[in-house]
Amino acid sequence: MFKEVVQLVGAELSGINAKQYAADIARFHRIQASPGFHEAVEYVREALEELGYSVTVHKYPADGRTLYLDGYRAPIGWRLISGELKVVKPRKMLLGRVIDNPTVVVAHSGANPGVEAELVDVGRGDSDEYYEDVDVSGKFVLASGSPRRVHRKAIEERGATGIILYSERTRAPSAYPYRSLWPRAEETDKMGMAFSISLEKALMLKRLLANGR
């Protein structure tokens, strides 16, 4: 009986079509409460209506204050327009840009119209021990720790210009990990610049730093 059901399902459903739907949805940068998330919802709604379904889209405040489900705080809205990260010295090279890798900008990063600053490697960068005898004020820090903790230690407490994050534990060393700061509504003005780069790019930066600024 089970074999017959599987055969019937296989005869009616198209794996290629399902894969295409998934690929289409994956085109959108679907951070919660962002334009990309809304665009993905609209894509799904239109696809379902074309198949004859009646669809209702529910909307909720994305204000970083409203509580749902006994304490879940609504995510706050955030819109990513553009961004890029480059090395300008000792030689020029592009580390990443939004048009190629949307996750190069950490979700809820603060905005800045263009900054050039020295880079400092602070290891994990998520506790005080990584900043002993290291001045990060006005500089970018390269770190592998938790985004919020690195942001607090480097930017909020020590005046760093921005943070550049990477993951040491990854099966895809060329990928740009999705990272987020997830501030509350009262914290949005405190968010500094935050980027996410691949492990390959991070190791390259470490080699450059080992040979000078």
Side-chain angles (χ1 to χ4, degrees):
M1 181 66 179
F2 178 74
K3 183 177 180 180
E4 293 176 356
V5 171
V6 172
Q7 290 176 338
L8 285 171
V9 171
E12 293 297 324
L13 299 182
S14 168
I16 294 175
N17 202 36
K19 181 181 179 181
Q20 186 60 55
Y21 280 127
D24 288 343
I25 293 171
R27 291 185 295 110
F28 303 105
H29 192 32
R30 303 178 313 282
I31 296 173
Q32 293 91 323
S34 73
F37 190 91
H38 174 73
E39 291 165 359
V41 169
E42 287 300 301
Y43 170 82
V44 172
R45 179 186 62 78
E46 293 175 3
L48 289 173
E49 288 179 343
E50 288 178 359
L51 294 172
Y53 291 96
S54 177
V55 180
T56 300
V57 176
H58 299 274
K59 298 183 179 181
Y60 303 92
D63 55 11
R65 294 188 176 89
T66 304
L67 298 179
Y68 300 101
L69 303 175
D70 297 324
Y72 172 74
R73 187 180 297 272
I76 197 164
W78 184 73
R79 181 186 181 192
L80 175 61
I81 299 173
S82 66
E84 65 178 17
L85 185 64
K86 298 186 293 186
V87 174
V88 294
K89 297 176 183 178
R91 62 178 184 270
K92 296 183 183 297
M93 66 185 78
L94 181 67
L95 295 176
R97 57 181 182 170
V98 166
I99 192 172
D100 300 318
N101 297 283
T103 53
V104 70
V105 175
V106 173
H108 295 276
S109 165
N112 201 305
V115 171
E116 180 178 331
E118 185 180 344
L119 178 66
V120 179
D121 183 2
V122 294
R124 287 190 55 82
D126 52 6
S127 62
D128 293 334
E129 63 184 289
Y130 295 105
Y131 297 89
E132 295 178 0
D133 303 320
V134 178
D135 178 17
V136 300
S137 177
K139 302 175 183 178
F140 278 102
V141 301
L142 180 66
S144 62
S146 162
R148 280 303 299 265
R149 290 183 62 84
V150 174
H151 186 281
R152 182 169 66 252
K153 293 298 179 181
I155 294 178
E156 296 177 38
E157 296 181 5
R158 293 171 172 83
T161 292
I163 58 178
I164 302 174
L165 303 167
Y166 65 96
S167 176
E168 294 178 299
R169 298 181 180 179
T170 176
R171 295 182 179 179
S174 63
Y176 291 69
Y178 169 70
R179 312 298 289 272
S180 178
L181 297 174
W182 292 122
R184 296 187 176 190
E186 62 272 16
E187 298 174 323
T188 54
D189 292 339
K190 301 177 183 178
M191 294 297 102
M193 286 185 294
F195 295 90
S196 175
I197 63 173
S198 68
L199 178 59
E200 289 179 346
K201 291 289 196 304
L203 294 176
M204 181 271 294
L205 291 177
K206 285 176 176 287
R207 288 194 294 270
L208 287 176
L209 289 172
N211 295 320
R213 293 171 57 183

